[in-house]
Amino acid sequence: MLPRADAPPAATTVRRFAPAQRWAHRAVALLMGVCVATAACLYVPQLAQLAGRRALVVTLHQWSGLLLPVPVPVLAALVSRAFRADLARLNRFGPHDRVWLRSALRRDRRPASRPAGKFNAGQKLYAAWIAGATLVMLGTGLLMWFTHLTPLVWRTAATFVHDWLALTVGIVLAGHVGMALADPEARRGLRTGSVRREWAEREHPLWRP
C-alpha cells in the first residue's frame, strides 16, 4: 500500500496518539456535535422548521447527551495505558503551564515563551472545563427530562442553567474547532496518530515521546 502524498517520512515523525485515544476523541466529538446540532434545531425557529420531526430531534438530543459523559469507545479506551496516561497529563498542572498562560494572556506567540508538555495549558483548561460543563449539562438535562421527580422551582433553575451553559459550550466549541482548523499538524495527529518531529519540538518542547 502506497503512503499518502501528504504523509511525512516515518523518520521525521513521532507517535502522538494510539488508536484508542483517537477513537475516544472521535466518539466524544460525534456525540457533542449531535448535542449541539439538535439543541440548535430545538431553539432556533428557522432550523426547527428545516429539521421538522421535533420529537425525533428531542430524542436524539436526550440520548446523545446521556451517552456523552461515558461513550463506549471511551470506556474501551480506559483499557489502554496510553489513554490513561494522557488523562493523567491533562489533570496535572505544573509551573510551566502558568508560564504558558501568562504568555498567552500577553499574546506572546514565541514558542520559547510557551513551554508545554504533551498538552499545553490551554488544552488542559479546555479539557477540564468541557468535562465539568458536560456533567452540569447532564444533571440539568435529567432534571428537565424527568419532570415528575423535582419541584417546579428546581426545573426552572435547571432550564436556565442548561440553556445558558449550552450557549457557552457552543461558543467554546467554535473556538476549539477554529484553533484546530488553524493547526493542520495537530489535526494530522488525531487523524493518523503521528506528527512531525519538528512541530512536536516547537509546540511541545517538554514532551518526550
Side-chain angles (χ1 to χ4, degrees), residues 175-201:
H176 179 66
V177 172
M179 294 184 71
L181 291 175
D183 193 343
E185 195 64 31
R187 298 200 310 275
R188 182 183 290 115
L190 282 170
R191 188 177 70 251
T192 68
S194 298
V195 294
R196 296 179 189 272
R197 185 178 297 276
E198 181 272 334
W199 177 87
E201 292 173 350

Side-chain angles (χ1 to χ4, degrees), residues 66-80:
L66 191 63
L67 292 172
L68 182 58
V70 283
V72 173
V74 172
L75 294 179
L78 288 173
V79 179
S80 165

Side-chain angles (χ1 to χ4, degrees), residues 32-55:
M32 183 66 78
V34 173
C35 279
V36 171
T38 51
C41 289
L42 291 172
Y43 283 94
V44 179
Q46 293 83 354
L47 293 178
Q49 291 177 359
L50 287 175
R53 305 190 64 179
R54 182 179 176 86

Side-chain angles (χ1 to χ4, degrees), residues 159-182:
T159 301
F160 178 84
V161 172
H162 195 87
D163 290 354
W164 282 102
L165 185 56
L167 177 61
T168 307
V169 167
I171 294 171
V172 172
L173 281 176
H176 179 66
V177 172
M179 294 184 71
L181 291 175

Side-chain angles (χ1 to χ4, degrees), residues 66 136-147 149-150 158 162:
L66 191 63
V136 173
M137 294 293 285
L138 175 64
T140 53
L142 288 173
L143 290 178
M144 296 163 61
W145 190 355
F146 299 102
T147 57
L149 296 180
T150 56
H162 195 87

Side-chain angles (χ1 to χ4, degrees), residues 66-152:
L66 191 63
L67 292 172
L68 182 58
V70 283
V72 173
V74 172
L75 294 179
L78 288 173
V79 179
S80 165
R81 181 180 299 177
F83 183 76
R84 297 196 303 273
D86 276 356
L87 290 180
R89 291 187 183 99
L90 286 169
N91 198 39
R92 190 176 298 122
F93 205 87
H96 61 279
D97 293 309
R98 288 189 283 274
V99 174
W100 192 99
L101 285 175
R102 285 197 294 269
S103 298
L105 291 173
R106 293 196 301 266
R107 299 183 181 277
D108 185 348
R109 299 183 180 277
R110 294 174 301 162
S113 68
R114 296 193 179 191
K118 186 173 184 179
F119 303 104
N120 62 45
Q123 292 166 330
K124 292 178 181 180
L125 287 178
Y126 170 78
W129 187 87
I130 203 69
T134 298
L135 293 177
V136 173
M137 294 293 285
L138 175 64
T140 53
L142 288 173
L143 290 178
M144 296 163 61
W145 190 355
F146 299 102
T147 57
H148 61 285
L149 296 180
T150 56
L152 177 61

